[in-house]
Amino acid sequence: MVEVSTSILSIKEGEESSAFLKLETAKTDYFHIDVMDGKFVEKNTYEKMLQNVDYIKRISNLPLDVHLMVENIKETIDDFLAVEPNIITFHLEACKNKEEVYKMISYIKENNCKVGISVKPNTNIEEVYEFLPYIHMCLIMTVEPGKGGQTFLTDMLQKIKTLKNYCKEQELELDIEVDGGINLKTAPAVKKAGANILVAGTAIVMANDFKVIIDELRA
Ligand code: DX5
Ligand code: ZN
């Protein structure tokens, strides 16, 4: 089954509350929360996302899918655990060494939350293999992290396939999420390659009817 995680990053200022309500009615599978610190990526969405998740929690029971694009992972986990996310994903590239990766995995799990690890387009997928038995999801970035509305990198299809095959071989039950440039044109290939959670921001936010686009992306 394919699920859709709606990135709220590109919702226009002032339109947040109505968009969140529409997404709740349209039954997005997750709210995708892009947390940026102005260091790991240029943009800083930290305070805004803390406010947004606080609001979403008050109006919706739908799960939160928190994507950390930050250097200081531990501190950010602490800040976002308060809203009881379903899953927290951090970037492999933000960790200094393997020990830190294992520490973050344990820390998130100890706090009753699922764990994901994300890889940037230039990171080899093999680098994440040793951590897969301990996590719930691998997030393959299909654009350079940092902003919404970018073009899907077609080279990433092979990366998705490689990961999917590896998981099959190793009998690993793992969600494969893709993020960046996902729309009705790019979604079919991504699903065929093996992704089962699609993050979409611009494609959903720009659509007239959130339910129609979410259903079409999922189909
Ligand atoms: C990029 C973010 C994405 C992005 C998706 O750094 O992680 O979640 O906002 O937006 P679209 O769908 O517009 O590429
Ligand atoms: Zn994201």
Side-chain angles (χ1 to χ4, degrees), residues 7 9-10 32 34 36 67 69 141 143-150 179-182 199-203:
S7 164
L9 185 67
S10 302
H32 182 86
D34 288 306
M36 307 182 186
H67 176 194
M69 284 162 276
M141 288 305 301
V143 298
E144 230 14 91
K147 54 177 189 276
Q150 302 182 76
D179 183 7
I182 304 298
V199 176
T202 315

Side-chain angles (χ1 to χ4, degrees), residues 12-205:
K12 282 206 203 93
E13 199 86 37
E15 290 177 11
E16 290 93 344
S17 50
S18 68
F20 297 157
L21 279 170
K22 273 164 65 185
L23 287 169
E24 154 80 22
T25 316
K27 291 276 168 281
T28 181
D29 295 292
Y30 305 86
F31 285 96
H32 182 86
I33 312 297
D34 288 306
V35 184
M36 307 182 186
D37 64 353
K39 287 181 252 172
F40 184 75
V41 292
E42 225 176 282
K43 241 183 167 176
N44 191 328
T45 63
Y46 208 99
E47 292 306 319
K48 194 179 164 194
M49 288 303 159
L50 275 175
Q51 285 169 14
N52 281 334
V53 286
D54 197 55
Y55 183 78
I56 291 170
K57 274 313 259 196
R58 283 187 270 141
I59 61 151
S60 176
N61 287 325
L62 295 176
L64 298 178
D65 164 29
V66 176
H67 176 194
L68 304 184
M69 284 162 276
V70 301
E71 279 180 0
N72 195 336
I73 303 169
K74 166 82 167 53
E75 199 175 276
T76 315
I77 292 169
D78 288 338
D79 282 343
F80 281 83
L81 275 174
V83 290
E84 298 175 341
N86 181 269
I87 181 156
I88 296 179
T89 299
F90 61 89
H91 267 269
L92 188 63
E93 302 87 358
C95 296
K96 286 176 285 296
N97 48 44
K98 288 181 180 186
E99 287 64 43
E100 190 181 353
V101 179
Y102 283 115
K103 257 193 200 158
M104 292 306 115
I105 293 172
S106 306
Y107 189 64
I108 295 170
K109 283 183 172 174
E110 279 161 17
N111 282 285
N112 304 314
C113 185
K114 292 208 270 181
V115 189
I117 295 183
S118 180
V119 287
K120 296 210 278 184
N122 289 331
T123 302
N124 286 328
I125 194 65
E126 288 77 12
E127 289 182 39
V128 83
Y129 283 0
E130 73 166 283
F131 309 110
L132 297 180
Y134 311 103
I135 65 175
H136 302 90
M137 180 174 91
C138 181
L139 166 53
I140 295 185
M141 288 305 301
T142 44
V143 298
E144 230 14 91
K147 54 177 189 276
Q150 302 182 76
T151 306
F152 176 83
L153 299 167
T154 33
D155 286 359
M156 295 304 114
L157 288 171
Q158 188 51 52
K159 199 179 201 173
I160 303 164
K161 282 181 201 157
T162 306
L163 176 63
K164 180 71 186 172
N165 286 337
Y166 180 79
C167 290
K168 258 191 209 152
E169 271 166 35
Q170 302 291 319
E171 297 179 6
L172 291 167
E173 291 275 336
L174 194 81
D175 285 321
I176 301 179
E177 183 173 63
V178 286
D179 183 7
I182 304 298
N183 53 40
L184 291 178
K185 275 201 187 115
T186 54
V190 154
K191 287 185 268 187
K192 196 166 168 244
N196 70 307
I197 305 180
L198 312 189
V199 176
T202 315
I204 295 174
V205 172

